[in-house]
Amino acid sequence: MKRKQALVSLTLMGVISFYLVIGLPKPAYAMHIMEGFLPVQWAIFWWIVALPFFILGLRSLTRITQANPQLKLLLALAGAFTFVLSALKIPSVTGSCSHPTGTGLGAVLFGPLTVSVLGGLVLLFQALLLAHGGLTTLGANAFSMAIARPFAAYWIYNLTIKLGGKDKIAIFLAAAIADLLTYVITSIQLALAFPAPVGGFIASFTKFAGIFAITQVPLAISEGLLTVLVWNWLQSYNPQELELLQLIKRGNGNESI
């Protein structure tokens, strides 16, 4: 029975990934804010904001791997999930594009601080190897995808569980809603850097958010469903690691690990 469920889950994951990769075969431009696009003062500002989270995340990641080396494979899975999903660029409008982010799974498993490192490394590799994003804009992209989004996913998941929601519903909401938040944050960043001549920040934010919403709403739903499938797979084939993570969280008073 478990093999049949796993086969169905993997098939659905393949179908969703196939749609995300080639479902809209148009030229794509990186949704991450591209190299050199932000004014210097804003690029520096977001680097300053993001750096403390990365440092704290390194401490959290080191603590986890030293105390529980058996969780390294699960950490690698969370990082790979983020890398693959965030590299799937779907054309939006006006020469931009949208994509899922994949950081919700890692946030639920290991907490948002750890994912700030995983997401930051993913963004660095994509900037260097895929021309997706940039080094000067790495701080801004990291804040939206690897900091704000994981914290939101972690809080949404735990709030849903506390309110009596089922585990799978909590996972779906955490992945989908936090995915949308990533693009809200990015729209805020762009609106702050490029306020409209008429209407200022509000007009600019409305424009950017409206552009991304066209493709990001269905993508958020797709990412939520895909994350649930991966969660089901982990429950079927990695129950020991999930139980260990629950024990660690209880030992920390259910706080982020």
Side-chain angles (χ1 to χ4, degrees):
M1 186 64 181
K2 286 186 176 181
R3 288 184 178 180
K4 184 177 180 180
Q5 291 176 341
L7 181 61
V8 172
S9 297
L10 290 173
T11 301
L12 289 173
M13 288 168 60
V15 170
I16 294 174
S17 297
F18 180 83
Y19 167 75
L20 292 176
V21 176
I22 66 172
L24 295 170
K26 301 178 183 178
Y29 301 88
M31 160 45 206
H32 297 324
I33 302 174
M34 66 182 181
E35 182 66 65
F37 189 71
L38 287 178
V40 174
Q41 66 270 25
W42 282 109
I44 294 174
F45 172 80
W46 291 113
W47 262 100
I48 293 173
V49 171
L51 199 56
F53 290 95
F54 188 83
I55 294 172
L56 292 173
L58 280 176
R59 293 177 57 187
S60 176
L61 185 62
T62 302
R63 185 170 64 249
I64 292 172
T65 53
Q66 288 181 347
N68 304 280
Q70 64 270 40
L71 293 177
K72 289 181 180 179
L73 286 177
L74 198 57
L75 269 168
L77 172 65
F81 186 69
T82 298
F83 183 88
V84 171
L85 285 196
S86 61
L88 303 177
K89 298 173 285 185
I90 308 302
S92 183
V93 295
T94 65
S96 65
C97 78
S98 300
H99 61 75
T101 62
T103 54
L105 179 66
V108 171
L109 289 173
F110 297 101
L113 285 177
T114 300
V115 179
S116 68
V117 177
L118 298 179
L121 293 176
V122 164
L123 288 166
L124 177 62
F125 284 130
Q126 288 179 352
L128 295 175
L129 303 178
L130 303 179
H132 192 190
L135 296 179
T136 60
T137 56
L138 183 61
N141 292 327
F143 183 80
S144 62
M145 192 186 100
I147 297 173
R149 191 258 159 85
F151 273 95
Y154 184 79
W155 289 332
I156 291 169
Y157 173 81
N158 284 284
L159 178 61
T160 305
I161 294 296
K162 289 180 180 179
L163 293 176
K166 294 184 178 180
D167 208 37
K168 293 180 178 61
I169 295 176
I171 289 289
F172 173 81
L173 292 177
I177 296 176
D179 180 285
L180 292 174
L181 179 66
T182 303
Y183 289 85
V184 172
I185 297 296
T186 301
S187 298
I188 291 174
Q189 291 172 327
L190 293 173
L192 287 170
F194 304 103
V198 179
F201 168 81
I202 297 299
S204 185
F205 170 77
T206 302
K207 176 184 176 181
F208 286 118
I211 288 173
F212 296 133
I214 296 173
T215 49
Q216 200 56 37
V217 170
L219 277 178
I221 296 173
S222 299
E223 181 176 347
L225 294 173
L226 183 59
T227 305
V228 170
L229 291 177
V230 174
W231 184 261
N232 289 341
W233 183 82
L234 288 174
Q235 287 184 319
S236 297
Y237 294 95
N238 297 80
Q240 296 87 355
E241 286 84 352
L242 293 182
E243 289 177 5
L244 176 59
L245 283 172
Q246 290 300 320
L247 289 174
I248 295 173
K249 289 178 181 178
R250 293 193 194 102
N252 293 338
N254 285 325
E255 297 179 357
S256 168
I257 59 176

